[in-house]
Amino acid sequence: MNDTEVRVRFAPSPTGYLHIGGARTALYNWLFARHCGGKFILRIEDTDRNRYVPDALTDIMASLRWLGMDWDEGPEVGGDYGSYFQSERLELYQKYAQQLVDEGKAYRCYCKSERLESLRKEQESNKQKVGYDRHCLTLTEGEHRELETSGARFVIRFKIPPGRTGVYDQLRGELNFDNDTIDDFVLLKSDGFPTYHLANIIDDHLMKITHVMRGDEWLVSTPRHILLYQAFGWEPPLFAHLPIFLAPGGGKLSKRHGATSVKEYRDKGYLPEALNNFLLLLGWNPGTDQEMFSLKEAAEAFTIERINASPVGLSFDKLDWFNGVYIRSLSTEDLANRCLPYLQQACLLPDPCPNDRYQYLLQIIPLIRERLKAVPEVAEMTNYFLQEDIPTPTRELLIPKKMDGAQTLAALEGAAQALAGVSSEFIESEMEEALRNKAQELELHDGQVFMPIRVAITGRTATPGIFETMHVLGKERVIKRIENAIGVLK
């Protein structure tokens, strides 16, 4: 490869939302471009009109930007090698396909789908190699004219030469393929649209792509691409085929294993920093014990040589761990801003949020930060703070184990009395002293007083620290909720 500027591309097809496998491919290409000071190109391979999803392009670009990946050339950015939509480059593909026909390296095939299906079934029943039988390769000029005069539609097929084709993969080394295992594949379909094999070769060449990092599933197609490069007399880029994902427990990742698109992970409340870090280490090893990488740190460390070619098993527990670490690393204001839309969606805070309510949220965030694994959990974890009233807990929930109703009632009545005497600022140390003294007076353990209070004021048995919780709730609400619980026990 010439010592030129590194140019890599991510070329998704808008046939669905951005898959996490595609996001990992984009991330590796982006990091490599940033590591080398090169260019990252976004190219949209939108020639499959039958599977086109109208909002997929919007999702792809929004997901990349959410993950922090910008592109140097492509949609909404432009560049010197556009258009960056394959559907707007059809004349180019048709011109180059015709060039191969004129040079005897490709030919027109008029076979109808019925004949091809019959051929496939016959080959399978005879246990023969399945592929095109070159029926149209030897048609004479007269036969061509007769078919075209009759209006017969045709595709253009590449004529596979004899011999073997070598493929150098940067992760696997030199690989060799027998050409007789490759049939004469279609370059241009009858509607004038190219197949992936033709379009990506032409675009990579004309856009001066130096390195192609793509999924492992494209490795078996690479001999076809090398043969096309040779037919055009072009130098191919360097290839690296990235390891596939295996679902937890093995096998192909699918919807039944959980979220598969970036949008789904975003909606579930995962932070982009966590998803990037998770995807980074799915196939790449820094060679150190470091696990946490910002995009800047990852770009500085990233090299193709440290990518592992072996399939990678997904562990979503690890993603949860990353998410928790990044949540805990956010400032109070940053985490509050990320939580705010979910609290508004749950009708716990108004939209727009008044400043006094936002300031109150800033008091709550430090209490729940350590327990928060995903941002949408914030609604469930904070509703008793943000609601003026909560459903009064049941008698069964209020009475702790190894206590009876009379003891619990005495504990709550004593707590209400003790807390009434604490200053209106509800200072934590003052509350703690008053309640511990009351427990001693009632001849109860501290926990026998604290647990009924916790349940009475929050409706649950596990919360942040009891004194921090009461301070944020405020004296009036705490005493009111304890009195409601006393009413249940009476």
Side-chain angles (χ1 to χ4, degrees):
M1 205 73 203
N2 294 330
D3 186 18
T4 56
E5 177 187 58
V6 165
R7 291 175 59 83
V8 296
R9 48 77 166 176
F10 177 55
S13 177
T15 55
Y17 290 171
L18 181 61
H19 189 275
I20 57 168
R24 197 268 308 264
T25 297
L27 177 64
Y28 282 13
N29 278 280
W30 187 89
L31 291 174
F32 184 61
R34 297 296 173 256
H35 178 83
C36 299
K39 294 288 195 297
F40 174 71
I41 293 100
L42 177 62
R43 188 174 74 219
I44 306 302
E45 300 193 341
D46 58 344
T47 57
D48 188 346
R49 309 311 291 178
N50 293 328
R51 297 172 57 218
Y52 181 79
V53 175
D55 61 342
L57 175 60
T58 301
D59 171 79
I60 289 167
M61 294 195 294
S63 295
L64 290 176
R65 285 175 170 142
W66 178 72
L67 289 168
M69 285 181 263
D70 54 339
W71 49 96
D72 303 296
E73 299 173 24
E76 299 182 354
V77 173
D80 296 334
Y81 301 94
S83 169
Y84 295 92
F85 291 87
Q86 287 188 335
S87 61
E88 298 175 0
R89 299 168 64 87
L90 298 185
E91 288 185 9
L92 271 174
Y93 308 134
Q94 292 163 4
K95 182 188 84 168
Y96 281 106
Q98 185 59 46
Q99 175 185 322
L100 293 178
V101 172
D102 294 341
E103 294 173 355
K105 298 171 182 175
Y107 59 95
R108 294 179 179 180
C109 171
Y110 303 87
C111 293
K112 295 181 179 180
S113 58
E114 294 82 3
R115 179 185 183 275
L116 296 176
E117 178 64 17
S118 175
L119 173 64
R120 182 186 64 80
K121 290 181 178 178
E122 181 182 345
Q123 290 169 335
E124 287 177 344
S125 65
N126 294 331
K127 296 184 172 17
Q128 296 173 321
K129 183 190 78 171
V130 175
Y132 185 61
D133 61 357
R134 292 189 158 181
H135 175 76
C136 293
L137 176 60
T138 56
L139 291 178
T140 65
E141 284 299 320
E143 289 172 319
H144 277 289
R145 282 195 299 270
E146 183 180 342
L147 285 164
E148 290 174 21
T149 301
S150 68
R153 294 164 63 85
F154 63 85
V155 300
I156 294 180
R157 290 183 180 273
F158 184 66
K159 181 182 175 183
I160 299 292
R164 289 167 63 81
T165 298
V167 172
Y168 183 78
D169 182 273
Q170 289 186 283
L171 308 185
R172 299 164 179 80
E174 188 70 33
L175 304 170
N176 285 282
F177 298 82
D178 289 321
N179 289 1
D180 62 8
T181 64
I182 310 170
D183 70 344
D184 290 356
F185 57 93
V186 175
L187 299 174
L188 202 68
K189 294 176 280 188
S190 59
D191 59 4
F193 278 76
T195 61
Y196 170 83
H197 305 299
L198 178 67
N200 96 91
I201 290 301
I202 293 172
D203 290 344
D204 284 349
H205 173 72
L206 296 180
M207 294 180 183
K208 302 187 185 303
I209 301 301
T210 60
H211 297 73
V212 171
M213 273 186 279
R214 59 188 179 188
D216 180 78
E217 67 272 16
W218 291 110
L219 181 59
V220 294
S221 295
T222 307
R224 301 182 182 192
H225 303 161
I226 294 294
L227 288 170
L228 277 173
Y229 277 109
Q230 292 172 352
F232 284 120
W234 298 337
E235 183 180 6
L238 294 173
F239 292 97
H241 291 89
L242 307 178
I244 62 171
F245 290 165
L246 296 179
K252 185 178 180 181
L253 181 68
S254 67
K255 286 285 185 183
R256 67 186 176 88
H257 298 109
T260 59
S261 73
V262 171
K263 181 181 185 300
E264 288 174 292
Y265 285 98
R266 182 177 184 175
D267 291 346
K268 284 176 177 288
Y270 288 98
L271 303 186
E273 298 92 335
L275 191 55
N276 273 330
N277 215 138
F278 177 66
L279 294 174
L280 171 67
L281 298 178
L282 288 177
W284 179 80
N285 186 329
T288 67
D289 293 333
Q290 183 176 350
E291 285 192 291
M292 307 297 294
F293 288 86
S294 66
L295 280 178
K296 183 176 183 294
E297 291 170 330
E300 290 172 353
F302 188 85
T303 61
I304 293 177
E305 291 74 22
R306 300 213 66 87
I307 301 174
N308 190 332
S310 301
V312 182
L314 292 182
S315 170
F316 295 115
D317 290 341
K318 191 68 175 180
L319 176 56
D320 289 338
W321 181 81
F322 277 126
N323 209 49
V325 170
Y326 277 106
I327 284 174
R328 291 188 289 275
S329 73
L330 296 175
S331 69
T332 298
E333 291 79 5
D334 193 351
L335 183 53
N337 291 336
R338 299 193 197 211
C339 290
L340 185 57
Y342 295 96
L343 296 171
Q344 291 170 329
Q345 185 178 349
C347 299
L348 292 170
L349 286 174
D351 184 10
C353 184
N355 185 58
D356 61 331
R357 298 292 283 162
Y358 180 75
Q359 294 302 318
Y360 182 56
L361 176 61
L362 294 182
Q363 296 180 55
I364 299 170
I365 291 296
L367 303 188
I368 56 107
R369 184 200 310 272
E370 293 298 318
R371 303 166 66 91
L372 194 63
K373 291 182 179 179
V375 178
E377 295 175 351
V378 70
E380 172 61 24
M381 295 178 71
T382 62
N383 55 12
Y384 57 86
F385 284 113
L386 296 170
Q387 294 170 325
E388 182 60 31
D389 298 306
I390 62 171
T392 305
T394 63
R395 179 183 179 87
E396 291 73 21
L397 189 61
L398 283 165
I399 300 174
K401 293 179 180 178
K402 299 182 180 180
M403 288 183 70
D404 57 28
Q407 289 175 306
T408 305
L409 178 60
L412 287 177
E413 288 180 329
Q417 181 186 46
L419 291 172
V422 175
S423 66
S424 59
E425 289 80 11
F426 238 29
I427 297 171
E428 294 167 24
S429 58
E430 293 181 7
M431 288 187 282
E432 183 173 3
E433 181 181 6
L435 290 175
R436 291 189 189 279
N437 289 339
K438 180 58 67 175
Q440 189 173 11
E441 178 187 321
L442 295 172
E443 298 183 349
L444 294 172
H445 298 302
D446 291 345
Q448 291 178 302
V449 174
F450 296 166
M451 180 55 77
I453 295 174
R454 186 187 305 275
V455 174
I457 65 175
T458 68
R460 57 194 70 183
T461 57
T463 68
I466 184 68
F467 302 111
E468 297 97 318
T469 299
M470 288 196 291
H471 173 72
V472 172
L473 281 170
K475 183 174 182 178
E476 182 179 340
R477 276 198 293 175
V478 166
I479 293 178
K480 178 182 177 182
R481 291 180 184 183
I482 290 175
E483 289 175 345
N484 288 340
I486 289 171
V488 171
L489 293 174
K490 283 185 173 181

